[in-house]
């Protein structure tokens, strides 16, 4: 049964939250959350948000800055007139759903929140794309939500993907039947 977005609580990772019971299918993602995420956040290398449902951590996602080479972007994305070799981007560095919540819409909710964060960020600094180096087993998940493969050299053990969120913003609003701005509550 899908969990409605409105029933989820988004919060920043902090030292007062017990994350020790979080488990996902990828041990390295669980390990990152428990052992490295807070340290990276304190060092301003990335920011991790937790997604909770009824008091239990249902997922987490970690964001950082990025850029994507212009040659890696489809001609249908970006701007033809843009003269620089890279587009500014927001990177999904990690995204994981607790095993008990798989298939209940938590991943989709985290992508919606990421899209809203990217839109808000783009009001303050240049940010046009969302990028992710997907694990091969997760590629289909991202493709389902409008991400595309980067058109240049592929990394080993990861599938570089991107989404031009600015171009697809209105399209996404139609798909979701709610304005993305409604997901951009900085207190959630």
């Amino acid at each position: 049964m899908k969990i409605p977005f409105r029933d989820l609580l988004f919060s920043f990772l902090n030292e007062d939250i017990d994350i020790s019971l979080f488990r996902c299918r990828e041990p390295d993602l669980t390990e990152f959350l428990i052992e490295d995420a807070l340290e990276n956040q304190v060092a301003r290398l990335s920011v991790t948000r937790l997604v909770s449902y009824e008091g239990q951590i249902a997922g987490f996602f970690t964001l950082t800055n990025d850029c994507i080479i212009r040659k890696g972007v489809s001609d249908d994305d970006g701007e033809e007139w843009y003269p620089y070799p890279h587009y500014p981007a927001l990177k999904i560095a990690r995204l994981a759903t607790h095993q008990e919540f798989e298939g209940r819409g938590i991943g989709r909710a985290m992508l919606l929140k990421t899209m809203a964060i990217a839109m808000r960020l783009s009001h303050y600094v240049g940010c046009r794309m969302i990028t992710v180096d997907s694990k091969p087993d997760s590629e289909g998940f991202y493709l389902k939500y409008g991400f595309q493969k980067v058109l240049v050299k592929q990394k080993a053990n990861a599938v570089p993907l991107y989404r031009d969120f600015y171009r697809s913003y209105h399209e996404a609003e139609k798909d979701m039947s709610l304005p993305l701005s409604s997901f951009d509550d900085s207190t959630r």
Side-chain angles (χ1 to χ4, degrees), residues 18-80:
D18 181 10
I19 53 175
S20 64
L21 298 178
F22 183 86
R23 296 291 179 270
C24 70
R25 285 183 190 241
E26 294 289 336
D28 60 322
L29 292 174
T30 299
E31 181 181 316
F32 171 80
L33 177 64
I34 294 170
E35 296 180 15
D36 300 323
L38 189 57
E39 183 178 335
N40 285 1
Q41 189 164 291
V42 169
R44 299 291 190 257
L45 299 171
S46 61
V47 173
T48 297
R49 284 181 174 77
L50 304 173
V51 183
S52 300
Y53 177 68
E54 296 183 347
Q56 186 175 351
I57 298 172
F60 79 92
F61 60 104
T62 302
L63 303 175
T64 191
N65 289 312
D66 197 14
C67 66
I68 182 170
I69 191 163
R70 187 176 173 168
K71 294 178 198 171
V73 174
S74 165
D75 289 340
D76 295 335
D77 293 317
E79 298 293 343
E80 188 176 306

Side-chain angles (χ1 to χ4, degrees), residues 108 112 163 167-180 183:
R108 177 180 177 270
L112 283 170
R163 181 166 180 176
R167 183 169 308 282
S168 62
Y169 179 76
H170 299 289
E171 177 185 314
E173 283 188 319
K174 286 189 285 187
D175 290 348
M176 304 305 168
S177 69
L178 284 171
L180 287 171
F183 300 105

Side-chain angles (χ1 to χ4, degrees), residues 60-171:
F60 79 92
F61 60 104
T62 302
L63 303 175
T64 191
N65 289 312
D66 197 14
C67 66
I68 182 170
I69 191 163
R70 187 176 173 168
K71 294 178 198 171
V73 174
S74 165
D75 289 340
D76 295 335
D77 293 317
E79 298 293 343
E80 188 176 306
W81 52 264
Y82 185 69
Y84 302 103
H86 293 86
Y87 283 107
L90 177 66
K91 184 180 199 80
I92 301 171
R94 307 282 193 294
L95 186 145
T97 300
H98 191 292
Q99 290 175 351
E100 293 177 19
F101 290 94
E102 288 179 3
R104 299 189 63 195
I106 302 301
R108 177 180 177 270
M110 291 187 287
L111 286 181
L112 283 170
K113 187 67 172 176
T114 299
M115 181 88 68
I117 291 166
M119 284 304 294
R120 177 173 273 213
L121 179 64
S122 72
H123 290 286
Y124 298 97
V125 298
C127 184
R128 178 66 183 247
M129 307 287 174
I130 297 173
T131 61
V132 63
D133 291 335
S134 171
K135 294 188 176 297
D137 292 347
S138 300
E139 178 183 356
F141 168 77
Y142 291 103
L143 294 174
K144 176 176 153 182
Y145 290 106
F147 282 78
Q148 299 177 58
K149 287 185 180 183
V150 173
L151 302 177
V152 293
K153 183 181 171 187
Q154 302 295 312
K155 295 181 178 182
N157 300 325
V159 182
L161 303 167
Y162 78 94
R163 181 166 180 176
D164 183 343
F165 71 87
Y166 179 77
R167 183 169 308 282
S168 62
Y169 179 76
H170 299 289
E171 177 185 314

